[in-house]
Amino acid sequence: MTIIRVALDVPVDTLFDYRAADATATDIGRRVVVPFGRKIAVGVILETLDSTQVPAERLRNALRIMRDLPPLGAEDLRLLRFAAEYYHHPLGAVIMGALPTRLRRVAAPSPRKSRAARALTVAATAPPPPTVIPAPELTAEQLDATAAIRARLGTFQVFLLLGVTGSGKTEVYLHAIAAALGAGKQALLLVPEIALTPQLEALVVHRFPETPMVSLHSGLAGLERLEHWRAARDGRARIVLGTRLAVFAPLPELGLIVVDEEQDASFKQAEGFRYSARDLAVVRARQRGVPIVLGSATPALETYHNAASGRYAVLALPSRIGAPPPHIACIDTRGEKLADGLSERLLTAVRGCLARREQALVFVNRRGYAPVLFCRACGWIPGCHRCAARLVLHRQEHRLRCHHCGHASPTPVACPGCGNPDLAPVGQGTQRVEEALERCFPGARILRIDRDTTSRRRAWQSMRQRIQNREVDILVGTQILAKGHDFPHLNLVAVLNADSQLYSNDFRASERLFALLTQVAGRAGRGGKQGEVLIQTEFPRHPLYAALARQDYRAFADDALAERRQAGFPPFVHQALLRAEALRLATGLEFLTDAARKGRSLDARISIFDPVPAAMPRRAGRERAQLLVQSESRARLQQFLRSWREQLAAARSARARWSLDVDPFEF
Ligand code: ADP
Ligand code: ZN
Ligand code: ZN
């Protein structure tokens, strides 16, 4: 009798046995249709067995093994197993979640060749890249970096490619990829947000015109995603370019992994299965015995620490290509009365920029008109009724919006508390800055770029085109603009409202701010000219701004690491967060208090803090609380989490929903 053990997408950590007369060991990794309760479900076969503990009368027959596609490889399953264990998420949910949606359905995917499949070799959706035609000759630094990677093909090695913005990291990726392709291998290139990087996709296609490339990200239509996944799985696609979910793409001949902007928060999934694609990419490289390149101008401190302690090899690109580094200075706004948040010196700089017919970028990392609406008469401030958050004024749409749950309501004409009709917007969002700039520079062509203006498909692409064609004089934008875009006519970057992140109680806030400002500053002065960066601040002498002005990441990182070591923060400890959600805060806290007590009796060497409300204590109508646990030993923490989770699962709190977040990124 043949038994198959099947992973199903269920929220418990159990595998399910079925009878399958026709199953053989070659079916491991294949999808199978099985009865589950009163439904029919698709799962993946993980083992074939001769016998099972399930009593014969309860053992059910599998309905159909789907042999239309090659199975998931043993190596791919190994990564998924690791991910499930490490992040303490049910294996079935992890495996099924890694499949394209169409493969999770009972109906077989349509065999019809999609547009996507035909377009495999010409996947460029963006206009051809403005630069790098033809391929430039590498600098000595780029050559050294490329040679070091090539020398380690076929072996596991983590490289940190530490290159200032504009130092030509992309060329190093491309040459490393070329080397892997030349050795007959597939290459995986992970980027933070593919929707914002059609430039890279176009560049890859342009540089490897003969090489089939596919992209994998959540923006693809179902059939397209399936075809791309399938091309990766059967080895047709030699380059896979994707966002975090692509870390699970089945790649039988994987030879190299590249993670661009490795510090980016979007590599960590923030809901459900909370994995870090960057960290799993390193695990995957180790499992497969291949090199991995982590590229950044401002690596995560965890990564930098690994490099400093010799675990990762550093490849440095210390100089910018083709232009001197931008000149970065602070505008001291203490004592100055700002008109709509814009200082006189900033306006003068923009004026100069316009006179020279160059582009300027005003960076405000907040969309909407104003983050707060305020009644001066009675102090009323509108908040979201579902979240512990203030509503953001979106003036053009006459709406107040919650940026956490999406709730929207009309802007009140008067204060509901006291009837005062004169409600004051406080603080600046992109819309307000845009409006102020329109008043100051009536002749200038101003373009606002934030999530509200780029949400439509392809909107960002056509905006990028307009910037490139110099149809825009002033850009107002959020971090969407910070990442990896090359605007040759942009020479001034002005930063507003950065100070709020200097003294945040999130211990990673300054690291994020440094990375963000470095990226934004890197947008200035790419067309051969020196760019200028002006940061409006009330703390012009803050060491973070000083290090930024010197573009001295290492000085910043060394200081920050020393602080973290002293305070006992990651990377010097390893953390996990037990999150609980309930209708009432007390329910969540009760659950966590009980969990903390259980944990303390399990292992006294694990530091278990007290349960607290989450930084955002209410979201979308649910109260949220959390409990932090940490240890200097990752192995000990993992062992603890295993037993702890079993106990928590056994206790079954009906009223609190809980989940574990390993290596939490947001608190
Ligand atoms: P980074 O990713 O490090 O910020 P990029 O890879 O975007 O930098 O490169 C910055 C610019 O330098 C790009 O326009 C790129 O085409 C150009 N570039 C890269 N390498 C060279 C080279 N060896 N010679 C000339 N230009 C180069
Ligand atoms: Zn009022
Ligand atoms: Zn809300």
Side-chain angles (χ1 to χ4, degrees), residues 374-381 412-423:
F374 176 63
C375 172
R376 287 210 181 88
C378 76
W380 176 77
I381 294 176
V413 285
C415 172
C418 71
N420 171 16
D422 189 18
L423 295 172

Side-chain angles (χ1 to χ4, degrees), residues 366-373 391-395 400 403 424-432:
R366 213 176 240 155
R367 66 197 169 90
Y369 186 85
V372 179
L373 192 64
L391 293 175
V392 177
L393 174 63
H394 285 244
R395 185 135 146 185
L400 295 171
H403 286 190
V426 181
Q428 281 85 37
T430 45
Q431 294 177 3
R432 188 173 199 177

Side-chain angles (χ1 to χ4, degrees), residues 59-80:
L59 191 66
R60 303 171 76 176
N61 290 322
L63 300 176
R64 172 160 50 93
I65 296 174
M66 301 209 235
R67 298 195 173 90
D68 54 334
L69 291 178
L72 281 170
E75 299 282 9
D76 304 318
L77 286 172
R78 193 148 72 105
L79 177 69
L80 293 163

